[in-house]
Amino acid sequence: MNIIRAKDYQDMSRKAANIISAQIIMKPDCVLGLATGSTPVGTYRQLIEWYEKGDLDFSRVSTVNLDEYRGLAHTDPQSYYYFMQENLFDHVNIDKTATHVPDGTNPDAADACAKHEQIIKSLGGIDLQLLGLGNNGHIGFNEPGAAFEKETHLVDLAESTIRANARFFTSIDEVPKQAYTMGIRTIMQAKKILVVVSGESKADIVSRAFFGPVTPEVPASILQMHPDVTVVCDEAALSMSPL
């Protein structure tokens, strides 16, 4: 595991974007696994800036997203489908038909999850998977539990996750209680993994996830077992870690 220290959020975003851009340049038809939430937004902004300067070409890139709320329409501003259009896809020359987000509008959970898993397999797997880190150690929407979940599946969101995501909604009652998410096995099958973490509020979980024991009670701790993981943290997020 390679842990990179960044000065602040902007520096973290730039360093993460450097890693993603290198992947695109080395393999123009690469498959990127993408994440949502507030932490990757700066990384996406940096990628857009480099695209606008002519430094990046997304025309042959394919993407698969980690997760999606169950029951939100694509037009819902809180859906991750909408998030990806707003924060990346609408601003670069990516082929929209090559972008894949779990279908939260599909009420058949087994079907929705199987189709997303099949898309990943049909693309030949993920070259680089971008991850954030939840306050309780979740990656994607894989919440703490008794075992590591395997493939794309339906998950009941933890109360702490619902509370954390409530800032994006008018009230906590509007936050969806379920989501479709890539499982730990699917994430771990990515050839490379890139984790971005920012802020003092994540310092404790960074220490537990990347310097503590591997346990499903801290889902991100499994990343210690992956052969090619880079974690980019700002100084605040690393403030409790033994570095």
Side-chain angles (χ1 to χ4, degrees):
M1 180 175 285
N2 180 29
I3 297 180
I4 298 175
R5 181 185 292 269
K7 290 180 294 184
D8 51 26
Y9 178 79
Q10 184 176 356
D11 189 37
M12 179 210 74
S13 299
R14 187 178 181 87
K15 283 178 164 61
N18 262 322
I19 293 168
I20 296 171
S21 63
Q23 175 66 63
I24 295 170
I25 291 166
M26 289 188 298
K27 187 179 180 185
D29 61 346
C30 65
V31 179
L32 298 178
L34 299 180
T36 53
S38 54
T39 307
V41 169
T43 300
Y44 294 149
R45 285 181 186 149
Q46 184 64 73
L47 291 171
I48 292 165
E49 182 180 322
W50 287 335
Y51 163 74
E52 290 173 342
K53 287 181 178 177
D55 296 334
L56 281 178
D57 177 12
F58 288 82
S59 63
R60 295 169 62 196
V61 172
S62 299
T63 68
V64 286
N65 262 72
L66 271 173
D67 42 32
E68 176 61 286
Y69 287 122
R70 187 186 192 191
L72 293 191
H74 291 167
T75 53
D76 191 310
Q78 301 307 331
S79 74
Y80 290 157
Y81 180 94
Y82 190 97
F83 175 99
M84 290 309 306
Q85 314 304 314
E86 288 282 295
N87 288 285
L88 183 61
F89 298 156
D90 284 349
H91 307 284
V92 297
N93 65 331
I94 198 163
D95 178 358
K96 294 287 187 71
T97 65
T99 64
H100 309 280
V101 180
D103 186 5
T105 67
N106 186 345
D108 185 335
D111 183 62
C113 295
K115 283 178 176 173
H116 195 61
E117 200 66 31
Q118 183 54 44
I119 287 167
I120 296 168
K121 288 183 172 68
S122 71
L123 292 170
I126 296 167
D127 291 301
L128 186 152
Q129 176 65 58
L130 176 65
L131 299 173
L133 177 65
N135 285 307
N136 63 359
H138 72 243
I139 47 176
F141 274 130
N142 294 284
E143 302 284 12
F148 291 112
E149 295 285 357
K150 293 183 179 179
E151 297 184 334
T152 303
H153 60 285
L154 173 69
V155 64
D156 294 320
L157 300 183
E159 191 63 35
S160 61
T161 301
I162 292 170
R163 285 197 305 272
N165 290 346
R167 68 188 187 277
F168 302 115
F169 293 81
T170 306
S171 75
I172 195 168
D173 295 331
E174 293 183 9
V175 184
K177 305 300 188 288
Q178 293 182 313
Y180 299 140
T181 186
M182 280 188 207
I184 295 293
R185 178 180 174 183
T186 308
I187 292 169
M188 290 292 284
Q189 286 176 336
K191 297 177 184 73
K192 301 177 187 176
I193 295 175
L194 170 63
V195 190
V196 287
V197 197
S198 173
E200 192 175 357
S201 65
K202 298 288 179 72
D204 177 62
I205 196 60
V206 164
S207 177
R208 290 167 59 205
F210 304 131
F211 300 93
V214 175
T215 168
E217 288 300 318
V218 184
S221 65
I222 191 69
L223 298 176
Q224 296 179 43
M225 310 299 290
H226 193 281
D228 192 348
V229 175
T230 299
V231 183
V232 185
C233 295
D234 62 16
E235 290 183 351
L238 281 172
S239 60
M240 295 177 66
S241 297
L243 282 179

